[in-house]
Amino acid sequence: MNRVKDKIVNIVIVLISVIATVVIIIKCLHEGIPNAFDAIDIIALASMALVFTELRQNKKINEAQLIKDINSEFINNLQLSRVEQKLEMYYDQYKHAKTTDEREKLHLDLCMDIGSDERQNLVNYLVHLEAVASLVNNEAIRLDSINDLIAYRFFIAVNNRDVQTYELLPFKDYYRGCYILYKRWKDVLKRKNMEIPMNEQGEKFFEKGYR
């Protein structure tokens, strides 16, 4: 939807610029030097359209750079990659569990003791997601732009029961952005008919909302 809107706006901007240019040429051909006030108005309009186009292009470039940096951090940071691996292993076990009882017995293979390196790495992973949430919630990045890259990483973390129990719930004031973004992102995945990792655990936890 956002991409369609962007295309429409860009088309309108181009049309305005073209029309303004054509009007100036016609006035020059038929009237010689056009009325100064009219010419200034038209030129100003064309200039505004060009400036607006440039600003939009810069915003897209900045957004693309932010997305690249976010993804690079997940890929190149060994600690974050290790946490993601553990979260994914848990999710794989969750998918293959045949009963609710088997799922209840699952535990994330990370040391949850405060002060341990593994716990700190998990915190760093969640803080990285919180930074992503802040960028999206403040409209620095469009959710659709990062959905394919980050959605899976987001939901295997926030929908993990141990992550909820040991970090998201007791320290919820520090993950306000993730709470706010959760429902919005879940709706995007539903609209795209994409699977939501461990959705049942997420709904049980997040249906209470941020309190």
Side-chain angles (χ1 to χ4, degrees), residues 158 164 168-169 179 201-209:
V158 301
Q164 295 167 354
L168 292 181
L169 181 59
Y179 276 83
Q201 291 186 166
E203 288 185 341
K204 288 179 182 178
F205 182 75
F206 285 98
E207 68 182 3
K208 300 174 184 178

Side-chain angles (χ1 to χ4, degrees), residues 2 10 51 93 119 163 199:
N2 287 331
N10 285 333
V51 169
Q93 293 174 338
R119 173 66 177 265
V163 173
N199 186 44

Side-chain angles (χ1 to χ4, degrees), residues 72-96:
S72 294
E73 185 67 14
F74 275 116
I75 294 173
N76 298 325
N77 187 308
L78 295 179
Q79 286 76 26
L80 295 187
S81 295
R82 180 62 174 166
V83 171
E84 184 177 344
Q85 181 184 39
K86 294 286 188 178
L87 291 169
E88 192 167 29
M89 289 171 62
Y90 178 102
Y91 176 42
D92 183 67
Q93 293 174 338
Y94 180 91
K95 287 192 298 183
H96 289 91

Side-chain angles (χ1 to χ4, degrees), residues 98-110:
K98 297 180 180 179
T99 65
T100 301
D101 187 56
E102 287 183 8
R103 288 181 172 179
E104 291 293 329
K105 293 179 180 178
L106 291 176
H107 289 288
L108 183 62
D109 186 20
L110 287 173

Side-chain angles (χ1 to χ4, degrees), residues 28-42:
C28 288
L29 290 175
H30 288 273
E31 301 178 18
I33 300 176
N35 179 275
F37 182 77
D38 290 342
I40 290 173
D41 280 349
I42 295 171

Side-chain angles (χ1 to χ4, degrees), residues 62-174:
N62 292 336
E63 181 186 57
Q65 184 61 50
L66 282 172
I67 294 171
K68 179 183 177 182
D69 292 343
I70 291 168
N71 193 50
S72 294
E73 185 67 14
F74 275 116
I75 294 173
N76 298 325
N77 187 308
L78 295 179
Q79 286 76 26
L80 295 187
S81 295
R82 180 62 174 166
V83 171
E84 184 177 344
Q85 181 184 39
K86 294 286 188 178
L87 291 169
E88 192 167 29
M89 289 171 62
Y90 178 102
Y91 176 42
D92 183 67
Q93 293 174 338
Y94 180 91
K95 287 192 298 183
H96 289 91
K98 297 180 180 179
T99 65
T100 301
D101 187 56
E102 287 183 8
R103 288 181 172 179
E104 291 293 329
K105 293 179 180 178
L106 291 176
H107 289 288
L108 183 62
D109 186 20
L110 287 173
C111 177
M112 289 299 182
D113 294 338
I114 293 180
S116 69
D117 289 341
E118 287 190 329
R119 173 66 177 265
Q120 185 58 53
N121 291 339
L122 174 62
V123 170
N124 292 344
Y125 186 97
L126 294 174
V127 168
H128 196 53
L129 291 180
E130 180 66 16
V132 172
S134 178
L135 290 170
V136 174
N137 292 335
N138 288 289
E139 300 183 352
I141 294 178
R142 293 168 298 162
L143 188 53
D144 282 345
S145 297
I146 63 167
N147 183 64
D148 294 343
L149 282 175
I150 312 297
Y152 178 77
R153 292 163 170 154
F154 180 85
F155 283 99
I156 62 173
V158 301
N159 281 351
N160 183 289
R161 189 178 61 249
D162 286 346
V163 173
Q164 295 167 354
T165 301
Y166 290 100
E167 192 64 28
L168 292 181
L169 181 59
F171 303 102
K172 62 182 180 181
D173 287 340
Y174 299 101

